[in-house]
Amino acid sequence: MKERLTVSADMCGYDAVLTAYNHLDAAIQPLLPLVRKMYLLSSNAFSCVARAGRDGDIFGVLAQDIQSLGDAISACICDIQSPLDKSLVILANLVRDSSLEIEYTMVDEQAVSANLINEHHQLVDLLRQLALSLSPVGRLIQQGEHLAVFSSVEAANSNAQSASFEAVASRLKMLVVDLKITSKQRNSLLHDLTELLEQQQLVLSAAVQAA
């Protein structure tokens, strides 16, 4: 005997979760140009060091630290991309599957329900991976803030190329502020996504039980 299993998009709302993920993806994208700017800044700093000679030795260490900061942010981006891409694929499947209205046998119905629940759990796990991959950014912001202060102090104490060093310090401060602003936005989106998925877990369970 066949029964009808209906898990409507309105009930399961994964389209809303997909929209939220797209917003998170858009909030992550500014990290890419920020890393490029960080590398360009470190290159400019190394040029200033070369022109300053011995007076630029200490600032040379700072230039290396700026480059290392860019490397660390770049590593975060690499760690983020895989769980983000996998999440978007699973969500596309969930949006499709949760809008099905097909007649199934009882065995088929159980398989479809199990698949929806399994995909949801995968999504929750991937969101945890995303949050974990983004977690170093807070520490990197603090590191960047300290580095910007130290750079400004060293620029003021430099006898040669002080104006150039101060320009590097000022630019670093601006990049760190940009990183901080986008980080707050991403953290807010992650929080909203966590709540959305928790709500969807309840809705999905109720919809499957009622089917």
Side-chain angles (χ1 to χ4, degrees):
M1 179 178 180
K2 291 186 177 181
E3 296 186 9
R4 183 174 294 272
L5 171 65
T6 304
V7 186
S8 70
D10 288 339
M11 290 174 67
C12 287
Y14 284 106
D15 47 353
V17 180
L18 179 58
T19 298
Y21 259 95
N22 285 328
H23 289 161
L24 178 61
D25 186 26
I28 289 171
Q29 295 311 309
L31 286 173
L32 297 170
L34 190 146
V35 168
R36 288 194 290 269
K37 291 174 183 177
M38 196 76 72
Y39 285 144
L40 179 60
L41 183 62
S42 67
S43 178
N44 292 340
F46 279 122
S47 296
C48 294
V49 170
R51 290 193 297 269
R54 283 187 176 181
D55 289 338
D57 287 350
I58 295 179
F59 213 84
V61 176
L62 294 172
Q64 182 62 56
D65 287 342
I66 294 172
Q67 183 175 331
S68 297
L69 186 61
D71 290 340
I73 298 171
S74 182
C76 282
I77 296 173
C78 291
D79 291 341
I80 290 164
Q81 204 58 55
S82 177
L84 181 59
D85 290 345
K86 289 178 182 177
S87 296
L88 291 172
V89 170
I90 291 174
L91 269 168
N93 292 336
L94 280 167
V95 169
R96 179 200 64 207
D97 295 344
S98 64
S99 62
L100 293 176
E101 186 174 348
I102 304 174
E103 290 185 347
Y104 295 105
T105 65
M106 183 63 68
V107 174
D108 290 337
E109 179 181 327
Q110 291 173 350
V112 171
S113 300
N115 185 60
L116 284 170
I117 293 171
N118 179 58
E119 287 182 324
H120 181 92
H121 288 165
Q122 288 182 54
L123 199 58
V124 171
D125 289 340
L126 287 167
L127 183 60
R128 291 195 188 101
Q129 291 181 37
L130 269 173
L132 186 62
S133 298
L134 284 168
S135 61
V137 175
R139 174 179 54 79
L140 295 175
I141 289 172
Q142 291 183 337
Q143 181 181 334
E145 288 174 336
H146 295 155
L147 189 57
V149 172
F150 194 34
S151 298
S152 185
V153 171
E154 289 303 320
N157 293 333
S158 176
N159 293 324
Q161 298 294 321
S162 60
S164 297
F165 289 152
E166 180 54 43
V168 169
S170 177
R171 182 58 177 157
L172 178 58
K173 289 177 185 177
M174 293 174 62
L175 290 177
V176 172
V177 168
D178 289 344
L179 181 60
K180 194 170 187 177
I181 291 173
T182 58
S183 179
K184 287 182 178 179
Q185 182 184 12
R186 285 188 296 274
N187 289 340
S188 176
L189 288 169
L190 278 171
H191 179 268
D192 291 346
L193 266 171
T194 300
E195 289 192 340
L196 268 176
L197 286 178
E198 288 174 351
Q199 293 169 10
Q200 288 309 113
Q201 176 67 57
L202 297 174
V203 174
L204 177 60
S205 297
V208 169
Q209 288 173 8

